[in-house]
Amino acid sequence: MALPPRKAIAVTAAALFGFFVIDGVFVWAENPPWWQLVAALLGFLAIGGLQLVHSFPQLLPRLYRYRYATWVLQAVLAYAPIALFGSAWSGMAEFLTASSVLVFPAVLGWPLFGAGVLTCWALYSGRDTSTVLYNVLEGALIPLIIIGLSRMSDMIVKLHRSREELSRLAVAGERLRFARDLHDVLGYSLSAISLKCELAYRLLADAPAKAHEELGDVLRTSRKALADVRSVSRGYREMSLAGEANAAVSMLSAAGIRTSLRFEVGRLPAGVDTVLATVLREGLTNMLRHSKAESCEIRAERVGDGAVLTLSNDGIGRGRPPRGGADGGLDALGSRVRKLGGALSHGADGQGWFRLEATVPVPDEATRPDGAGPAAVTDPDEAEPSPPHIQGHRDLVPRTATAITFTVLLGYFVAYSVVAMSYRPPLGKAVVTELCMFATLLLQLLISFQWRFVRRARRPRLLQLGALGGLLLLQCVPWFFLGPSWMGLPGFVAGSALLVLPAAGAWPLVAAVTVISDVVFREVDSTLTDLIYETAYTVICALVVFGLSRMAQLASELHRSRTEIARLAVTTERLRFARDLHDLLGFSLSAITLKCELVRRLAPTSPVQAQAELTEVLGIARQALADVRTVAEGRQRMSLTAEAANATAMLAGVGIRATVDTDCGELPGDVDTVLATMLREGLTNMLRHSRAAHCEITAERTPAGVRLTLVNDGVEGRADAGLDSKVNGGSGIGNLTTRVNAVNGRLEAGARPDGWFELKAEVELLATAA
């Protein structure tokens, strides 16, 4: 358990102990025989243990299951000994009153609270009015203090525990958003690649020139997909409806689908433009996957204050029925459109056509011809996600903590006022006494809620010290004018010292205030029991003021920090997504590009071999779609052996001689994944940045762990001469450095003296397991 929850529980337990000390003093003052003192001590211990169970259910959860039975036992221990000890035992009823609210639902707990307060009135009904009023106030105030400290301690513990859960939910929400973006961006591109590769496969034998054009489109699509991957991985992506519409017409026409385009929507805000472009891309993806359309219509126009995009096709009845969940992409798009205040509809129009229509309102500022107004409307999906369970409840915890603290401070003010009025001062002194006590309360509220008020001041520290100095003056100066009737609020001064001063200066001041108040109290001819009571009461009041004020501040800070913690967790998840996208899809799309270039060279002279290469391209595209799902679901698991086998086949296909030896035995799952990722990323960089003719891949055991080495002879012809300087960069090799460091390894990359480029990772397996 973290320090703040422990400190909160410790303060609460100390206050409970103080109350038991006070009640024990009253029992001891009755001079009972030794066996009654022993019985009283055992009763205190039993009630204290039961109270801890009721106040802190997280400490003994199994016993708390029987809280109703333990409450009944506490009731017996609270009232039965009164027959033996009289009113000296009445303080135990106050603990029971607090437990009633802590144990039972509010509809029953608060009526029992009221009944407990009335019990205090009944126990002291035969005494003078001041004594009855003071004890009734104590009968309500002490249970409120116990309830407040217990509830706020539990609140602090739950806030600390909820941060991890909140971060997990925020990350899950970000994963869903990321998965949707992957579906929207790459689903279209990979579907188009598969479609055009199948078309080129059929055209190679009869129309090689046409197949050559289709392969050119595949190359452009794969390069655009790589750019989309980079955009999504950075968490920022703006799309253009006009650009997507023109690209769609070109792609559909090449696929033999008659397409008509009507674009009269004008300039759109960035957020609206991106969402409508995403709708168009997703609609085309579904059409290519689930129908065999021959005609398609794309229409974008202004209607009133909004923009309307309509995508229609005649593929109803000629395609494969979509499998379960096929509309998941459209459902996600509907959510995005609704966040902009729009609507999405789709379905058959009754004339044999399928129609997808999106309507999104356009802000007036964005339609001004002079370009005034905001440059863009923020896409709600690009904004930082609000963590679950915070929206709509942002101020509930701080308000509850503030209300508890304010109620207890006000209760202390009333209780001390009753004591001051019990001396029956003249009217003038009574008014001055109340004004001084009210001023003390205001200064205490300023210090207790300094996290709300003082932080706005130019010199907050000076204001805090000034408020504490004012409390000291109000505690000491009025005594010279009001005499023994002025007791002040020493607990407020002591508690404020703990809040404002460091411990080395606060505790001596607490001791001084307690001693001075005892000296003053002694002058009014009090008994030793009253003196002990006053001493304990001042210290307890100081602890309560400090504990409630600090916990109220901590509750507010924790509640605010949960949003920041969730945001940081989302940022970390985005970085993980970026690495996974770069490592997994970068390799696949690079391989598609490389093989399509090879097919274009082979098509005129070796159509059979070109068809075989196209078959491999189709397989890579399908694997890329599987990798998209893997990244989106956060369940990436890779094998070094499998990656090495794939690398051997791929390198042989592109004419690179490869020597592969990865016989290093079984590896831990995280290490296996990291090394497989390193191999894939290293090959991706080699294909992109060099003209290697020979490559060596070696994985071997070392005394401390495992070493993976990837070398190639492409240094001379590398397009990027600074690749070896990117070890600590933000992508590629830099991502691998982060991954290898996470499994207690180190990564090295650079040119060797013999002219070969080397990428090497060493992981200590024993340290990783530990």
Side-chain angles (χ1 to χ4, degrees), residues 510-553:
V510 170
V513 170
T514 304
V515 171
I516 292 173
S517 64
D518 288 346
V519 172
V520 174
F521 193 67
R522 184 66 176 172
E523 290 191 8
V524 299
D525 196 23
S526 60
T527 64
L528 179 60
T529 302
D530 293 335
L531 191 62
I532 296 175
Y533 174 84
E534 177 65 18
T535 302
Y537 198 84
T538 300
V539 176
I540 292 173
C541 181
L543 287 175
V544 170
V545 169
F546 169 78
L548 288 179
S549 301
R550 187 65 76 207
M551 282 192 283
Q553 178 184 2

Side-chain angles (χ1 to χ4, degrees), residues 22 114 128 151 159 238 293 320 331 358 365 587 598 635 661:
I22 291 176
D128 60 276
R151 286 278 173 84
L159 279 171
E238 286 187 359
R320 296 172 299 174
D331 291 340
E365 293 83 358
F587 177 83
L598 176 62
R635 54 176 175 81
D661 181 8

